[in-house]
Amino acid sequence: MLRLMTPERTPDLAQITGGREVTPELRRQLIDCWVAVTNSGGAAGFPFAPVRDDDVAPVTDELLGRLHPQHSRLVVAGFDDVLAGWVLLDRAPSRLVGHWGTVHHLQSHPGCRGRGVGSGLMQEVRKIARDELGLEQLHLAARGGEGLEDFYSRLGWREIGRWPGALRLAPDDTRDEALMLLDVL
């Protein structure tokens, strides 16, 4: 069960570079977080709520199976061993694009919103990308119409383009996908 935290406390951050580092308890919390975020309307990879464990668990396992110290890192945030959020940083192994990475699935548990979880995760991803992976840029795609562009721009990201009408959430709800860039150095 998620306990509410005091706003002035910053989350503990950790990175995971291999699926074997993920305990069954952490796996359970990752799935629970993803279900809670999606079912509360969050734009974290599953566009059609509601989702259940059966929907999220296989995708989580696939994501964990791809973790690798050289090209895929999971960064988790928590308070007192309770997962508050997470994000994935991927880097293509190709030399052609190996100087940049892609950020996926940033999410903070709805019970932890407003406590710096998302900002803390993004600052940690930037540090890992620059200091550990030697990356020069980070990219991400954000669902338009959610205010995410403002959140990311406060953290130094800039919008570099859009895919107009790329996401159809419902027959009457088509959204742009905003393409964002962060120059890490």
Side-chain angles (χ1 to χ4, degrees), residues 34 58-67 72 74 86 88 105:
W34 211 344
V59 179
T60 302
D61 291 339
E62 180 183 331
L63 180 147
L64 295 175
R66 290 191 323 257
L67 294 177
S72 187
L74 177 68
W86 60 274
L88 181 69
H105 307 299

Side-chain angles (χ1 to χ4, degrees), residues 64-134:
L64 295 175
R66 290 191 323 257
L67 294 177
H68 187 280
Q70 298 304 314
H71 58 79
S72 187
R73 310 274 181 102
L74 177 68
V75 182
V76 296
F79 296 98
D80 300 322
D81 297 323
V82 176
L83 184 73
W86 60 274
V87 65
L88 181 69
L89 172 61
D90 278 329
R91 164 199 196 152
S94 166
R95 282 185 21 214
L96 182 64
V97 294
H99 62 286
W100 58 268
T102 305
V103 175
H104 301 280
H105 307 299
L106 174 66
Q107 50 193 284
S108 59
H109 193 285
C112 293
R113 299 259 166 88
R115 293 179 174 83
V117 173
S119 297
L121 285 166
M122 292 303 288
Q123 290 167 0
E124 187 70 7
V125 160
R126 180 181 188 157
K127 186 174 95 178
I128 291 167
R130 181 190 60 227
D131 298 346
E132 296 180 27
L133 296 175

Side-chain angles (χ1 to χ4, degrees), residues 4-174:
L4 294 179
M5 313 303 148
T6 57
E8 60 275 354
R9 186 165 169 215
T10 60
D12 299 318
L13 300 169
Q15 69 171 299
I16 297 167
T17 62
R20 293 182 182 198
E21 297 174 48
V22 177
T23 64
E25 178 183 346
L26 178 56
R27 177 186 176 272
R28 175 78 262 151
Q29 289 187 55
L30 289 165
I31 294 166
D32 289 347
C33 182
W34 211 344
V35 168
V37 167
T38 300
N39 290 344
S40 69
F46 287 95
F48 304 108
V51 295
R52 303 178 325 241
D53 284 7
D54 295 357
D55 303 311
V56 177
V59 179
T60 302
D61 291 339
E62 180 183 331
L63 180 147
L64 295 175
R66 290 191 323 257
L67 294 177
H68 187 280
Q70 298 304 314
H71 58 79
S72 187
R73 310 274 181 102
L74 177 68
V75 182
V76 296
F79 296 98
D80 300 322
D81 297 323
V82 176
L83 184 73
W86 60 274
V87 65
L88 181 69
L89 172 61
D90 278 329
R91 164 199 196 152
S94 166
R95 282 185 21 214
L96 182 64
V97 294
H99 62 286
W100 58 268
T102 305
V103 175
H104 301 280
H105 307 299
L106 174 66
Q107 50 193 284
S108 59
H109 193 285
C112 293
R113 299 259 166 88
R115 293 179 174 83
V117 173
S119 297
L121 285 166
M122 292 303 288
Q123 290 167 0
E124 187 70 7
V125 160
R126 180 181 188 157
K127 186 174 95 178
I128 291 167
R130 181 190 60 227
D131 298 346
E132 296 180 27
L133 296 175
L135 300 177
E136 298 170 20
Q137 293 181 344
L138 293 176
H139 302 181
L140 65 80
R143 184 185 303 171
E146 302 286 339
L148 299 171
E149 303 94 332
D150 292 337
F151 167 77
Y152 290 117
S153 34
R154 284 192 304 271
L155 297 173
W157 291 75
R158 62 187 163 96
E159 185 175 326
I160 58 167
R162 285 186 172 258
W163 289 333
L167 307 170
R168 179 152 299 141
L169 303 177
D172 61 345
D173 187 3
T174 301

